[in-house]
Amino acid sequence: MDNLPGMKSPLLPYRAGWLLGALLVSAAPLPAASPRETFLTAKQTATDANYRNDKAGLDAALARFAALSADPELGPRAAYHAAWTEWMLAASYFQDQQPAEAGKVLESGVTRLRIILDRNSADAEAHGLLGWMLMALGASNPARFPELAPQARDHRQRALELAPASPRIVMLEATMLCYAPKPELKERGFARWQDTLRLLDEEKSADPTLPDWGRTLADGWLANLLLTLDPTRKAEA
């Protein structure tokens, strides 16, 4: 029932209280994300941004990973994924014909991975990713390729010794063999690519903080290798 003129509305205190409560709730800070939540958000952000060739998204993911570098549990994995993100960022710079910028982020990623390996020389995935990034760094600065290629080869070999069934490490070996000058090594490289695809299809990990990239990248990379190195295999690409 409407109030008579001059009478206070019995709803005013209720309405005022409700509005005040709503304001307080909306102004209350959200609970801080846990390190694991931050990690997984950064990983998904990096993956999505890479597919879109989105440098801003890659930078955002990189900042999140960097913020976790001192975390006692996730620090080494965050550093690994930060380096992976820098590798993908370098690929974006290469695509935009900016090799100098690519070289800068690759140097940063290489430094991260060397720190990981200084602390744990048995980290196979770090050895493998370092091999990838050293090859890319050589591509960004051909004058350094003679210096960097043997290092990449050594890290590939160590990674294979530690984790011969890792699809990312087998992919590294396959790619390096495909670029070898001898035809028989190229054929072995393409065969190892088939091993890579099988291992990626079989890979299952219960821990999403572990490296698991490769499946969605592999088909495109292999097609590019086939078209670049052996045009007679265009149908396979």
Side-chain angles (χ1 to χ4, degrees):
M1 178 184 296
D2 291 336
N3 295 311
L4 295 174
M7 293 182 64
K8 292 181 180 179
S9 169
L11 293 181
L12 281 176
Y14 170 80
R15 287 174 178 164
W18 182 85
L19 288 171
L20 180 60
L23 287 171
L24 289 173
V25 169
S26 65
L30 294 173
S34 69
R36 185 179 177 86
E37 289 169 336
T38 300
F39 181 99
L40 295 178
T41 297
K43 185 177 179 182
Q44 191 61 55
T45 299
T47 301
D48 294 343
N50 183 50
Y51 298 147
R52 298 192 304 267
N53 194 26
D54 173 10
K55 291 189 185 70
L58 289 168
D59 280 332
L62 183 57
R64 287 193 176 100
F65 284 131
L68 292 171
S69 60
D71 184 85
E73 178 186 356
L74 293 172
R77 295 181 187 182
Y80 173 95
H81 283 85
W84 182 87
T85 303
E86 287 171 314
W87 182 32
M88 296 299 103
L89 191 55
S92 183
Y93 280 122
F94 275 125
Q95 187 171 319
D96 292 343
Q97 304 299 311
Q98 295 179 274
E101 293 301 317
K104 290 177 186 177
V105 291
L106 287 168
E107 288 280 12
S108 175
V110 164
T111 298
R112 292 182 200 276
L113 292 167
R114 292 197 192 281
I115 291 172
I116 292 173
L117 291 170
D118 283 344
R119 296 171 180 171
N120 177 14
S121 62
D123 189 327
E125 294 287 349
H127 278 290
L129 183 55
L130 184 52
W132 280 112
M133 295 191 75
L134 287 168
M135 286 201 306
L137 190 56
S140 74
N141 185 353
R144 294 189 62 195
F145 192 81
E147 163 205 349
L148 298 171
Q151 296 178 37
R153 189 166 54 246
D154 290 347
H155 285 289
R156 176 201 67 177
Q157 186 57 44
R158 183 62 177 141
L160 282 168
E161 291 169 359
L162 292 166
S166 164
R168 285 156 297 282
I169 293 168
V170 175
M171 194 190 318
L172 169 63
E173 180 190 35
T175 301
M176 293 181 79
L177 287 171
C178 283
Y179 280 105
K182 295 182 180 179
E184 61 270 23
L185 291 180
K186 277 189 173 62
E187 284 305 311
R188 185 182 165 202
F190 286 124
R192 288 296 273 161
W193 261 100
Q194 296 308 312
D195 293 338
T196 296
L197 297 177
R198 174 181 55 78
L199 289 168
L200 284 167
D201 287 338
E202 294 172 354
E203 185 174 51
K204 292 179 177 62
S205 174
D207 186 351
T209 68
L210 291 173
D212 59 5
W213 59 270
R215 175 63 268 183
T216 52
L217 297 172
D219 290 330
W221 288 357
L222 177 56
N224 185 61
L225 280 171
L226 287 166
L227 291 171
T228 303
L229 300 178
D230 192 350
T232 64
R233 305 174 80 154
K234 183 176 180 180
E236 294 180 51

